[in-house]
Amino acid sequence: MSEVTITRAVRLPDPFRIERFLSNPKLGPRLLFFSGGSALNGVSQALKRYTHNSIHLVTPFDSGGSSQGLRIAFDMPAIGDLRSRLMALADETVLGHPDVFRLFTHRFAKSARQVDLGAQLDAMIAGSHPLVEAIELPMRTLIQNQLGTFRAARPDTFDLRGASIGNLILAGGYLNQNQQLEPIIFLVSKLVGVQGIVRAVTDDNLHLGAELANGETVIGQHLLTAKEHPPLVSPIREFFLNRGLGVPERATAVFPQRNHTLMQSADLICYAPGSFYTSLIANLLPAGVGRSIAARTVPKVYVPSLGRDPETGSMSLPDKVHTLLTYLHRDTGADRPVSRLLNLVIVDSSVPDDETAEIRARGIGVVKLDLVSKSSAPYYDPVPLCEALVSLT
């Protein structure tokens, strides 16, 4: 088999391509994103105008918030970020399932009594709760079954306060499907009419760990993001997957074959904005990710986060690009050309030229665009970012 690489001139943004995709998003490009958390949700919602074929590989390593309670109770991967992305990509038209969407995005009150929340859960399982009663059959029965499985397996100590109903449904489905995430993610995608594909980057039930420059080891995503705990006191020197919480015990995750197959169908690969280590680099840790990326000859684009990221401290943009490539090369081998892993960095026009010169020197293109609007500042405006990405396909 021979491999031929064809290059073309690209206009950013490209009005012709944008208009074509806006007119028929069902035939839109297959943009593949490595991301996690909520940083890409606004972009994902806007992206539905241009394509219903985007692919989102999401980290299942979160150990904070409501995901932590489910992980402890059922020894399972984190599902909160998966549920959040599924909802961001849900069909928002009347052809979708708005009643299912409302249920999945509902949270129990944080101030309510456990006994009252338990009664609400029972009403949902019985089908008499207004949020469940509004859902048509047979979807209603499917949801009742997943919630019933969750209730039957729920430890007496499980705290329902603030729990996402969508997470509880996913947890019940995970238990119903022999502790597999893929079948329940597929089912929920159909229930809410997800306009794209959402997958966990790995099926392995693992946690994140970091060795800091001061010699300290930190285990657990909730300790790394500065959202629930104080910021790290020292820069991250080494980032890895860990067997569990507490004692450092490094582990290896596997990039599933189904994700490799998705990768080979992508028209563009995007290292998406978000928390640098826990949302982006975490996606690159499973064995096989880097090699799958290198095997695909499509544009590979890094869109660095804007604003302050507690995980990166004083890291410069060239530092982030170097770190990104370092973790990719660990899977591909250090001799893999940079061009097979990263071709382009897209930044806002406000980024100084001296921050991009070092990146260009490595043979990586840099494009500066007006990506921040008055309404979106200090973050990306989803529309110009989406239009830049679809123009590259």
Side-chain angles (χ1 to χ4, degrees):
M1 180 184 293
S2 299
E3 182 179 294
V4 178
T5 301
I6 300 174
T7 59
R8 67 176 177 87
V10 176
R11 181 181 179 185
L12 291 178
D14 185 331
F16 173 77
R17 287 178 177 273
I18 291 167
E19 185 57 36
R20 187 176 75 185
F21 297 140
L22 283 171
S23 66
N24 195 351
K26 290 182 179 180
L27 298 179
R30 295 175 70 87
L31 310 181
L32 185 146
F33 296 91
F34 286 106
S35 68
S38 59
L40 198 69
N41 283 349
V43 172
S44 300
Q45 287 180 298
L47 193 62
K48 292 182 290 188
R49 296 177 57 214
Y50 306 89
T51 179
H52 294 172
N53 301 307
S54 60
I55 302 165
H56 302 252
L57 298 181
V58 179
T59 58
F61 308 125
D62 191 7
S63 55
S66 60
S67 288
Q68 184 179 27
L70 291 169
R71 297 199 73 179
I72 293 171
F74 304 122
D75 190 27
M76 64 183 294
I79 54 176
D81 290 342
L82 289 160
R83 186 260 313 154
S84 177
R85 189 60 49 80
L86 288 165
M87 295 305 105
L89 290 166
D91 186 352
E92 297 178 54
T93 71
V94 293
L95 297 177
H97 301 289
D99 296 323
V100 179
F101 179 86
R102 277 191 288 272
L103 178 65
F104 266 83
T105 54
H106 181 73
R107 285 185 181 272
F108 282 140
K110 291 184 178 180
S111 58
R113 298 187 305 162
Q114 287 284 353
V115 64
D116 293 334
L117 296 178
Q120 288 187 45
L121 178 61
D122 291 342
M124 289 180 176
I125 295 167
S128 58
H129 190 286
L131 285 173
V132 176
E133 198 173 26
I135 298 170
E136 296 181 357
L137 294 172
M139 287 185 285
R140 186 199 311 162
T141 302
L142 286 170
I143 289 168
Q144 289 172 267
N145 287 340
Q146 314 311 327
L147 286 173
T149 299
F150 162 77
R151 182 183 62 181
R154 168 196 166 199
D156 293 337
T157 55
F158 189 89
D159 191 349
L160 288 171
R161 290 174 297 181
S164 160
I165 304 304
N167 284 0
L168 303 187
I169 295 169
L170 283 168
Y174 174 78
L175 298 172
N176 255 336
Q177 299 292 334
N178 299 313
Q179 297 182 310
Q180 296 182 67
L181 276 178
E182 178 65 16
I184 188 60
I185 292 173
F186 178 79
L187 175 60
V188 171
S189 296
K190 297 301 181 185
L191 287 176
V192 297
V194 168
Q195 295 173 326
I197 299 172
V198 179
R199 296 288 184 271
V201 73
T202 182
D203 299 326
D204 296 284
N205 179 21
L206 299 171
H207 288 271
L208 298 175
E211 287 184 6
L212 308 185
N214 65 0
E216 181 184 353
T217 299
V218 179
I219 305 297
Q221 179 172 325
H222 63 293
L223 299 177
L224 297 168
T225 60
K227 294 176 181 176
E228 300 178 31
H229 293 266
L232 298 174
V233 298
S234 181
I236 294 175
R237 180 175 61 193
E238 179 71 15
F239 196 60
F240 57 90
L241 293 172
N242 203 64
R243 187 69 56 192
L245 288 175
V247 179
E249 184 183 356
R250 296 200 182 194
T252 301
V254 176
F255 192 54
Q257 178 60 39
R258 65 175 181 274
N259 287 349
H260 174 77
T261 302
L262 279 174
M263 182 87 71
Q264 299 318 301
S265 71
D267 297 313
L268 177 144
I269 295 169
C270 180
Y271 307 107
S275 298
F276 182 72
Y277 281 101
T278 60
S279 289
L280 176 54
I281 301 300
N283 266 310
L284 310 180
L285 296 178
V289 173
R291 281 166 282 164
S292 286
I293 293 170
R296 189 75 178 127
T297 53
V298 295
K300 292 146 191 180
V301 182
Y302 173 40
V303 183
S305 289
L306 296 173
R308 181 177 175 273
D309 183 354
E311 296 179 5
T312 57
S314 60
M315 286 177 69
S316 66
L317 180 56
D319 290 337
K320 294 175 185 176
V321 170
H322 175 76
T323 302
L324 172 64
L325 291 170
T326 296
Y327 282 91
L328 288 168
H329 274 133
R330 288 186 182 182
D331 191 62
T332 65
D335 59 343
R336 191 64 59 104
V338 168
S339 61
R340 301 292 299 194
L341 304 172
L342 178 62
N343 313 120
L344 187 67
V345 178
I346 296 180
V347 297
D348 183 65
S349 56
S350 62
V351 175
D353 288 338
D354 59 359
E355 284 196 45
T356 63
E358 188 176 332
I359 298 170
R360 297 179 195 273
R362 299 191 68 164
I364 301 167
V366 179
V367 173
K368 299 175 71 172
L369 299 169
D370 293 327
L371 298 174
V372 179
S373 63
K374 289 183 178 180
S375 60
S376 72
Y379 303 110
Y380 292 114
D381 185 318
V383 172
L385 180 54
C386 287
E387 293 187 348
L389 293 174
V390 300
S391 296
L392 288 167
T393 60

